[in-house]
Amino acid sequence: MVDIPKAEGAHSYAVELPAAALTAAHANIKIEINTEFGTIAVPSNLLKYVSDAKNVELSLSRLDTVKLHSDVKSVIASRPVIAFAVQLDGEEMATLNAPVEIRLPYTPDVEELANSKYLTVSYMAANSTFVQLLNGKYDSALQAMVFPAANTGQYAVVYTKKFFNDVIKDSWYAPAVETMASKGFIDGTSATSFSPEQKVTRGEYLAWLVRTLDLKAEFNTTFSDMKRTDLYYEEIGIAKALGIALGTNGSFYPETEIARQDLAVLTMRALRAVGKTEQTHTAEDLKRFTDAANVAEYAVDDMAAMVKMGFINGRSNVTLSPAGTTSRAEAAQVLCKIFLQL
């Protein structure tokens, strides 16, 4: 741990480390650099693909929001904006080999504190546009915004609440849809519509699941029915690389409506991939449903786990409908339950 003392009037803090300390193959050690503007948790594999470098300098700066573009100021209001930089032997790095974790001290106002799930962090691109991070969140215990930074540059705390015209305000699914859409995990069918009753497809659900769990993987091949230009190409490729999506005869059928039992299988494989602890479950957990025998053999354990963990409910008190479809609203509810337990 490196503690940099507060310096009166300072706008930036930097620390220099030997590059060799950050060239490990795995992120099994983190070096924490504490400043008044925030903490940088640097993984030991930050420079794993770098050789012959001597020194690395990491810096964190607090930006004066008065000098920012008016379009930017209208979004961030008085919330903090920081600049994170990494220099390797004096040369600026734009993209990092492994993300660092940044903890940015932040005190929410009354509304934000009551709805902290809408607080997130956005990366500010060179043209003053915002790229919302899927996994930036407010940690009440740390009283800080916590987020992974895969790139150097400017990051801002934002408060984003997404609304859709066709989402009924007091409906059972509204909180889940608004939360997950505001975090960037799920999409509307247009800028103003969510189509809550529309059936969710295999591609949609898998992409939402990958985003919710922040799954990452490199891949060179994907399913035969996926093209690089397809909407969910990246997320489905990641899921295939991690063994979450197996497909059938080399195809995934992303436009097909997903069966509830297949939704359960994909979800539990993804939860296992991130080390989510499962409660003890058996097929006995499905016995209260009169159609439990209709669950496909390959899905029994995962369906039981989803029911036991409270992520899936029956279609009624006595029916499970394993081969039935799922609405977009129901899918949002499942993923929101998972997100809130992470």
Side-chain angles (χ1 to χ4, degrees):
M1 182 179 292
V2 180
D3 287 310
I4 302 179
K6 178 179 178 179
E8 197 64 36
H11 299 289
S12 180
Y13 293 92
V15 64
E16 187 173 89
L17 300 171
L22 302 175
T23 56
H26 304 287
N28 52 344
I29 300 174
K30 286 190 177 181
I31 300 173
E32 292 197 356
I33 303 166
N34 297 318
T35 78
E36 65 169 306
F37 300 146
T39 297
I40 309 170
V42 188
S44 54
N45 65 341
L46 179 72
L47 305 176
K48 65 179 178 179
Y49 299 123
V50 173
S51 59
D52 301 325
K54 294 182 179 179
N55 299 301
V56 58
E57 181 186 275
L58 300 101
S59 64
L60 201 61
S61 308
R62 186 75 172 264
L63 301 188
D64 185 354
T65 56
V66 173
K67 299 178 181 179
L68 297 176
H69 191 279
S70 58
D71 290 344
V72 173
K73 287 192 286 188
S74 66
V75 174
I76 64 171
S78 60
R79 302 179 192 96
V81 181
I82 57 101
F84 168 59
V86 178
Q87 289 191 345
L88 196 60
D89 289 339
E91 295 292 327
E92 194 81 30
M93 291 184 70
T95 303
L96 307 178
N97 294 331
V100 305
E101 181 182 89
I102 297 179
R103 303 167 201 150
L104 178 58
Y106 184 65
T107 303
D109 62 26
V110 175
E111 179 186 353
E112 291 172 345
L113 190 59
N115 300 278
S116 61
K117 57 183 175 291
Y118 299 122
L119 278 170
T120 188
V121 174
S122 286
Y123 175 76
M124 293 171 56
N127 58 357
S128 295
T129 58
F130 287 87
V131 180
Q132 183 175 328
L133 303 186
L134 296 180
N135 41 12
K137 61 182 180 180
Y138 177 69
D139 188 313
S140 58
L142 296 174
Q143 293 187 311
M145 297 299 302
V146 180
F147 62 97
N151 301 285
T152 57
Q154 299 178 356
Y155 293 87
V157 177
V158 294
Y159 183 72
T160 305
K161 193 170 184 179
K162 178 71 175 176
F163 296 98
F164 295 103
N165 294 338
D166 58 352
V167 172
I168 301 170
K169 182 178 179 181
D170 296 320
S171 61
W172 60 267
Y173 59 83
V177 170
E178 290 168 1
T179 297
M180 301 304 279
S182 297
K183 300 297 286 186
F185 297 142
I186 66 176
D187 314 292
T189 49
S190 74
T192 57
S193 300
F194 184 72
S195 306
E197 298 304 321
Q198 183 174 306
K199 303 304 181 185
V200 71
T201 66
R202 289 168 55 84
E204 282 174 329
Y205 183 77
L206 186 58
W208 295 357
L209 178 63
V210 167
R211 294 175 193 168
T212 300
L213 297 179
D214 191 30
L215 299 176
K216 304 290 185 187
E218 295 179 1
F219 64 94
N220 297 313
T221 61
T222 187
F223 296 104
S224 60
D225 53 355
M226 293 297 302
K227 303 187 299 294
R228 190 173 293 274
T229 55
D230 288 341
L231 183 59
Y232 302 125
Y233 174 84
E234 184 73 17
E235 293 93 336
I236 292 175
I238 289 171
K240 183 177 187 295
L242 294 175
I244 295 166
L246 305 181
T248 304
N249 298 323
S251 297
F252 184 68
Y253 306 101
E255 299 303 321
T256 302
E257 296 171 355
I258 191 168
R260 282 163 56 83
Q261 60 190 4
D262 291 337
L263 179 151
V265 170
L266 290 176
T267 302
M268 292 310 302
R269 284 179 186 159
L271 288 172
R272 286 190 285 270
V274 297
K276 176 70 176 179
T277 303
E278 300 175 32
Q279 298 180 26
T280 303
H281 60 274
T282 68
E284 292 296 316
D285 293 305
L286 303 180
K287 290 297 186 182
R288 64 188 175 93
F289 299 107
T290 58
D291 57 352
N294 296 337
V295 178
E297 185 177 355
Y298 68 85
V300 170
D301 285 347
D302 291 332
M303 203 70 169
M306 290 285 281
V307 170
K308 181 80 171 183
M309 298 170 80
F311 296 148
I312 277 187
N313 298 319
R315 274 282 182 252
S316 70
N317 290 333
V318 294
T319 58
L320 193 57
S321 187
T325 54
T326 299
S327 70
R328 288 166 54 85
E330 290 170 331
Q333 180 80 331
V334 169
L335 293 172
C336 191
K337 288 179 180 179
I338 293 170
F339 170 67
L340 293 176
Q341 289 190 25
L342 291 178

